[in-house]
Amino acid sequence: MPKSAPEKLRRFYDQFEGHDHVLIVINADPDAIGSAMAVSRLLWRRVLNVTISNVNTINRPDNRAMLRLLDVTTVPFGQIKSGKYTKFVIVDSQPDHNEFMAQLKPDVIIDHHPDSKPKAPFVDIRPNYGATATILTEYLKTAGLKPPQTIATALFYGIKSDTMGLIRSTSPADAAAFCYLQSQVDMEALAKIEHAQVPAEYFKSFVLALQSARIYDRVVIAFLGPVDYPDLGAEMADILLRLRGIRWVVCIGTLSLIHI
């Protein structure tokens, strides 16, 4: 893999042609959504069209608010007819992370999670980065593209949420991207995303998480009981990660059959 930023960008662009219909596949969370928006911007006027597809159900309040306030359209993967697309992109994930992604033969993979050695014509995986949004911010800067306010806001929140405000798994590149984007953020939209209204079940799970939490060395394990949506476990884990000295959190819940 070439090391220079311009060479990486050139190799990325080499994967696409003007007649391409591109599908960006994500496991939707703030980092993935912002990264997908950035890829769409990079490909603007370079391909025929770009579609963003989510393999997960989007129920987490901040994710839903992000899509609504930043005017992002995603199509559930179950509604996708893959035959109409000529190029596939996976961001903030890798094929073996999800059974639906495993069905694809991606042309591009950009991610910050541990490298599972996926095969694709273009792969840019940087486990030392705290967020995939940081990588895509670098791509935009290298391309000389100043992100629109909506994309800057999404990338900024993606970095902020994945690094807990630059205090978890952070690299100098994350801090640089965070500072670069900060002046371009829609602060009103960001505040509404970060403080999105939550259902009553959120607080019930919060109480159960606190009551059931058990600490084993640097690990917290909590049982949430029945949950209305899978992302609730991740939300509770984010809260428990704030416990001093804790490195890992496992939140376990049972998903009602009506939501499967």
Side-chain angles (χ1 to χ4, degrees):
M1 182 71 191
K3 293 184 179 181
S4 73
E7 182 63 9
K8 284 181 180 179
L9 180 66
R10 183 191 67 76
R11 285 280 312 282
F12 168 81
Y13 277 138
D14 283 349
Q15 309 309 313
F16 304 96
E17 297 179 5
H19 62 263
D20 278 327
H21 299 267
V22 179
L23 183 69
I24 305 172
V25 183
I26 61 172
N27 191 336
D29 67 6
D31 188 21
I33 294 168
S35 298
M37 291 171 70
V39 170
S40 183
R41 176 65 184 91
L42 285 163
L43 296 178
W44 185 55
R45 292 187 175 177
R46 287 178 173 266
V47 298
L48 280 179
N49 56 64
V50 177
T51 300
I52 301 173
S53 177
N54 53 292
V55 297
N56 59 323
T57 302
I58 305 175
N59 283 318
R60 186 163 169 163
D62 59 341
N63 292 348
R64 293 171 68 92
M66 190 175 182
L67 296 177
R68 184 181 73 256
L69 293 167
L70 302 182
D71 194 25
V72 186
T73 299
T74 67
V75 180
F77 192 78
Q79 298 176 19
I80 291 292
K81 296 180 180 179
S82 59
K84 66 178 286 189
Y85 297 97
T86 57
K87 294 292 170 63
F88 298 90
V89 178
I90 294 176
V91 293
D92 197 38
S93 197
Q94 295 168 47
D96 66 353
H97 292 181
N98 182 277
E99 62 178 320
F100 297 114
M101 292 182 183
Q103 302 171 19
L104 303 173
K105 292 184 178 180
D107 299 277
V108 170
I109 299 170
I110 303 175
D111 190 23
H112 77 108
H113 295 100
D115 193 343
S116 62
K117 306 300 180 184
K119 294 182 179 180
F122 181 88
V123 177
D124 188 358
I125 298 176
R126 310 186 201 179
N128 58 315
Y129 279 37
T132 304
T134 298
I135 303 173
L136 268 304
T137 300
E138 292 181 358
Y139 274 55
L140 289 171
K141 291 179 69 177
T142 303
L145 298 173
K146 181 179 180 180
Q149 192 175 47
T150 51
I151 296 178
T153 303
L155 289 169
F156 181 84
Y157 185 54
I159 296 169
K160 187 175 183 180
S161 73
D162 261 30
T163 65
M164 292 183 70
L166 298 182
I167 64 171
R168 179 182 70 187
S169 303
T170 304
S171 72
D174 296 303
F178 191 88
C179 293
Y180 166 73
L181 294 165
Q182 193 165 24
S183 63
Q184 306 172 57
V185 168
D186 181 338
M187 289 299 180
E188 182 178 352
L190 180 65
K192 290 179 179 178
I193 292 167
E194 291 186 303
H195 302 288
Q197 290 188 321
V198 296
E201 288 74 14
Y202 176 94
F203 297 100
K204 294 176 183 176
S205 293
F206 181 49
V207 171
L208 280 172
L210 293 179
Q211 290 177 337
S212 68
R214 297 293 182 270
I215 300 174
Y216 303 91
D217 193 16
R218 301 182 70 187
V219 180
V220 174
I221 299 177
F223 180 66
L224 307 181
V227 296
D228 273 17
Y229 55 95
D231 285 344
L232 201 52
E235 292 181 79
M236 295 303 110
D238 284 344
I239 293 172
L240 291 172
L241 265 175
R242 296 176 63 186
L243 258 169
R244 183 181 292 118
I246 294 302
R247 182 172 179 81
W248 302 97
V249 176
V250 179
C251 286
I252 304 167
T254 57
L255 187 62
S256 170
L257 288 174
I258 195 171
H259 296 286
I260 293 178

Tab-separated table of all heavy atoms in Angstrom, residues 199-214 222-227 232 235-236 239-240:
chain	number	residue	atom	x	y	z
A	199	PRO	N	-36.098	7.237	24.464
A	199	PRO	CA	-37.339	6.641	24.973
A	199	PRO	C	-37.200	6.274	26.442
A	199	PRO	O	-36.089	6.204	26.993
A	199	PRO	CB	-37.504	5.387	24.105
A	199	PRO	CG	-36.103	5.027	23.712
A	199	PRO	CD	-35.376	6.326	23.543
A	200	ALA	N	-38.321	6.002	27.085
A	200	ALA	CA	-38.328	5.651	28.500
A	200	ALA	C	-37.487	4.400	28.778
A	200	ALA	O	-36.882	4.270	29.846
A	200	ALA	CB	-39.769	5.427	28.973
A	201	GLU	N	-37.438	3.494	27.780
A	201	GLU	CA	-36.669	2.257	27.949
A	201	GLU	C	-35.190	2.535	28.213
A	201	GLU	O	-34.502	1.737	28.861
A	201	GLU	CB	-36.807	1.365	26.706
A	201	GLU	CG	-38.165	0.711	26.539
A	201	GLU	CD	-39.242	1.690	26.081
A	201	GLU	OE1	-38.894	2.816	25.641
A	201	GLU	OE2	-40.435	1.338	26.180
A	202	TYR	N	-34.717	3.660	27.721
A	202	TYR	CA	-33.313	4.029	27.927
A	202	TYR	C	-33.006	4.124	29.424
A	202	TYR	O	-32.007	3.597	29.908
A	202	TYR	CB	-33.029	5.356	27.233
A	202	TYR	CG	-31.631	5.897	27.438
A	202	TYR	CD1	-30.629	5.634	26.525
A	202	TYR	CD2	-31.326	6.685	28.548
A	202	TYR	CE1	-29.345	6.142	26.699
A	202	TYR	CE2	-30.043	7.188	28.743
A	202	TYR	CZ	-29.062	6.919	27.811
A	202	TYR	OH	-27.798	7.403	28.007
A	203	PHE	N	-33.882	4.797	30.155
A	203	PHE	CA	-33.647	5.010	31.581
A	203	PHE	C	-33.850	3.719	32.386
A	203	PHE	O	-33.154	3.488	33.375
A	203	PHE	CB	-34.551	6.131	32.101
A	203	PHE	CG	-34.263	7.453	31.450
A	203	PHE	CD1	-35.056	7.923	30.412
A	203	PHE	CD2	-33.173	8.214	31.845
A	203	PHE	CE1	-34.776	9.133	29.804
A	203	PHE	CE2	-32.884	9.426	31.236
A	203	PHE	CZ	-33.684	9.879	30.214
A	204	LYS	N	-34.775	2.879	31.923
A	204	LYS	CA	-34.948	1.586	32.577
A	204	LYS	C	-33.670	0.749	32.425
A	204	LYS	O	-33.211	0.108	33.380
A	204	LYS	CB	-36.138	0.843	31.966
A	204	LYS	CG	-37.490	1.509	32.224
A	204	LYS	CD	-38.608	0.761	31.505
A	204	LYS	CE	-39.951	1.469	31.699
A	204	LYS	NZ	-41.040	0.799	30.931
A	205	SER	N	-33.114	0.758	31.217
A	205	SER	CA	-31.874	0.011	30.980
A	205	SER	C	-30.711	0.616	31.756
A	205	SER	O	-29.819	-0.106	32.232
A	205	SER	CB	-31.549	-0.012	29.482
A	205	SER	OG	-32.508	-0.760	28.770
A	206	PHE	N	-30.728	1.932	31.902
A	206	PHE	CA	-29.678	2.614	32.640
A	206	PHE	C	-29.670	2.149	34.102
A	206	PHE	O	-28.616	1.834	34.669
A	206	PHE	CB	-29.904	4.119	32.546
A	206	PHE	CG	-28.873	4.952	33.255
A	206	PHE	CD1	-27.514	4.735	33.066
A	206	PHE	CD2	-29.265	5.959	34.121
A	206	PHE	CE1	-26.566	5.504	33.711
A	206	PHE	CE2	-28.322	6.735	34.779
A	206	PHE	CZ	-26.972	6.513	34.570
A	207	VAL	N	-30.863	2.075	34.700
A	207	VAL	CA	-30.972	1.621	36.082
A	207	VAL	C	-30.510	0.168	36.203
A	207	VAL	O	-29.741	-0.195	37.101
A	207	VAL	CB	-32.425	1.773	36.589
A	207	VAL	CG1	-32.588	1.098	37.948
A	207	VAL	CG2	-32.804	3.242	36.677
A	208	LEU	N	-30.976	-0.692	35.286
A	208	LEU	CA	-30.581	-2.098	35.323
A	208	LEU	C	-29.075	-2.272	35.138
A	208	LEU	O	-28.448	-3.109	35.787
A	208	LEU	CB	-31.324	-2.880	34.234
A	208	LEU	CG	-32.759	-3.284	34.558
A	208	LEU	CD1	-33.440	-3.865	33.323
A	208	LEU	CD2	-32.776	-4.307	35.697
A	209	ALA	N	-28.500	-1.462	34.260
A	209	ALA	CA	-27.059	-1.553	34.012
A	209	ALA	C	-26.283	-1.227	35.278
A	209	ALA	O	-25.319	-1.922	35.639
A	209	ALA	CB	-26.655	-0.611	32.879
A	210	LEU	N	-26.702	-0.188	35.994
A	210	LEU	CA	-26.017	0.202	37.229
A	210	LEU	C	-26.210	-0.841	38.319
A	210	LEU	O	-25.272	-1.172	39.057
A	210	LEU	CB	-26.534	1.564	37.696
A	210	LEU	CG	-26.214	2.772	36.809
A	210	LEU	CD1	-26.813	4.041	37.408
A	210	LEU	CD2	-24.714	2.939	36.625
A	211	GLN	N	-27.427	-1.371	38.421
A	211	GLN	CA	-27.712	-2.339	39.484
A	211	GLN	C	-27.017	-3.681	39.251
A	211	GLN	O	-26.618	-4.353	40.206
A	211	GLN	CB	-29.226	-2.548	39.593
A	211	GLN	CG	-29.977	-1.346	40.143
A	211	GLN	CD	-31.478	-1.571	40.164
A	211	GLN	OE1	-32.006	-2.394	39.410
A	211	GLN	NE2	-32.179	-0.839	41.022
A	212	SER	N	-26.880	-4.067	37.995
A	212	SER	CA	-26.336	-5.393	37.697
A	212	SER	C	-24.832	-5.389	37.433
A	212	SER	O	-24.219	-6.457	37.349
A	212	SER	CB	-27.045	-5.992	36.475
A	212	SER	OG	-26.720	-5.258	35.299
A	213	ALA	N	-24.248	-4.217	37.302
A	213	ALA	CA	-22.827	-4.123	36.915
A	213	ALA	C	-21.926	-4.822	37.921
A	213	ALA	O	-22.052	-4.631	39.133
A	213	ALA	CB	-22.425	-2.671	36.759
A	214	ARG	N	-21.024	-5.635	37.408
A	214	ARG	CA	-20.028	-6.316	38.226
A	214	ARG	C	-18.648	-6.030	37.624
A	214	ARG	O	-18.470	-6.092	36.410
A	214	ARG	CB	-20.274	-7.824	38.266
A	214	ARG	CG	-21.609	-8.216	38.907
A	214	ARG	CD	-21.645	-7.893	40.394
A	214	ARG	NE	-22.897	-8.306	41.021
A	214	ARG	CZ	-23.982	-7.540	41.123
A	214	ARG	NH1	-23.950	-6.293	40.637
A	214	ARG	NH2	-25.076	-7.993	41.704
A	222	ALA	N	-22.451	-6.167	32.616
A	222	ALA	CA	-23.778	-5.754	33.083
A	222	ALA	C	-24.853	-6.448	32.264
A	222	ALA	O	-24.700	-6.647	31.051
A	222	ALA	CB	-23.933	-4.242	32.969
A	223	PHE	N	-25.947	-6.847	32.932
A	223	PHE	CA	-27.076	-7.463	32.250
A	223	PHE	C	-28.231	-6.469	32.215
A	223	PHE	O	-28.665	-5.963	33.252
A	223	PHE	CB	-27.519	-8.750	32.955
A	223	PHE	CG	-28.671	-9.421	32.278
A	223	PHE	CD1	-28.521	-9.964	31.021
A	223	PHE	CD2	-29.905	-9.495	32.906
A	223	PHE	CE1	-29.591	-10.573	30.374
A	223	PHE	CE2	-30.982	-10.107	32.270
A	223	PHE	CZ	-30.815	-10.646	30.996
A	224	LEU	N	-28.753	-6.212	31.014
A	224	LEU	CA	-29.776	-5.182	30.840
A	224	LEU	C	-31.190	-5.737	30.820
A	224	LEU	O	-32.145	-4.962	30.815
A	224	LEU	CB	-29.520	-4.411	29.531
A	224	LEU	CG	-28.121	-3.830	29.335
A	224	LEU	CD1	-28.053	-3.094	28.008
A	224	LEU	CD2	-27.760	-2.899	30.484
A	225	GLY	N	-31.332	-7.052	30.771
A	225	GLY	CA	-32.669	-7.614	30.641
A	225	GLY	C	-33.200	-7.388	29.231
A	225	GLY	O	-32.431	-7.204	28.283
A	226	PRO	N	-34.526	-7.361	29.050
A	226	PRO	CA	-35.096	-7.129	27.719
A	226	PRO	C	-34.768	-5.718	27.223
A	226	PRO	O	-34.869	-4.747	27.981
A	226	PRO	CB	-36.604	-7.283	27.945
A	226	PRO	CG	-36.721	-8.042	29.231
A	226	PRO	CD	-35.556	-7.621	30.068
A	227	VAL	N	-34.360	-5.607	25.949
A	227	VAL	CA	-34.079	-4.294	25.354
A	227	VAL	C	-34.901	-4.127	24.088
A	227	VAL	O	-35.196	-5.097	23.394
A	227	VAL	CB	-32.579	-4.112	25.039
A	227	VAL	CG1	-31.751	-4.133	26.311
A	227	VAL	CG2	-32.081	-5.189	24.083
A	232	LEU	N	-28.939	-0.225	22.294
A	232	LEU	CA	-29.053	0.191	23.690
A	232	LEU	C	-27.887	-0.357	24.510
A	232	LEU	O	-27.393	0.288	25.437
A	232	LEU	CB	-30.391	-0.267	24.263
A	232	LEU	CG	-30.920	0.456	25.512
A	232	LEU	CD1	-30.940	1.961	25.314
A	232	LEU	CD2	-32.315	-0.040	25.850
A	235	GLU	N	-24.979	1.906	24.050
A	235	GLU	CA	-25.154	3.168	24.775
A	235	GLU	C	-24.819	2.995	26.261
A	235	GLU	O	-24.166	3.854	26.861
A	235	GLU	CB	-26.590	3.659	24.606
A	235	GLU	CG	-26.923	4.102	23.196
A	235	GLU	CD	-28.345	4.598	23.079
A	235	GLU	OE1	-28.608	5.745	23.467
A	235	GLU	OE2	-29.209	3.832	22.601
A	236	MET	N	-25.277	1.892	26.853
A	236	MET	CA	-24.983	1.647	28.262
A	236	MET	C	-23.482	1.393	28.464
A	236	MET	O	-22.889	1.812	29.459
A	236	MET	CB	-25.797	0.453	28.766
A	236	MET	CG	-27.306	0.665	28.778
A	236	MET	SD	-27.808	2.101	29.776
A	236	MET	CE	-28.344	3.235	28.465
A	239	ILE	N	-21.556	4.571	28.711
A	239	ILE	CA	-21.681	5.216	30.025
A	239	ILE	C	-20.771	4.534	31.044
A	239	ILE	O	-20.030	5.191	31.779
A	239	ILE	CB	-23.150	5.172	30.502
A	239	ILE	CG1	-24.025	6.049	29.596
A	239	ILE	CG2	-23.252	5.638	31.959
A	239	ILE	CD1	-25.509	5.920	29.864
A	240	LEU	N	-20.791	3.208	31.064
A	240	LEU	CA	-19.991	2.463	32.050
A	240	LEU	C	-18.490	2.573	31.777
A	240	LEU	O	-17.678	2.398	32.687
A	240	LEU	CB	-20.425	0.994	32.068
A	240	LEU	CG	-21.832	0.745	32.632
A	240	LEU	CD1	-22.244	-0.701	32.426
A	240	LEU	CD2	-21.897	1.113	34.109
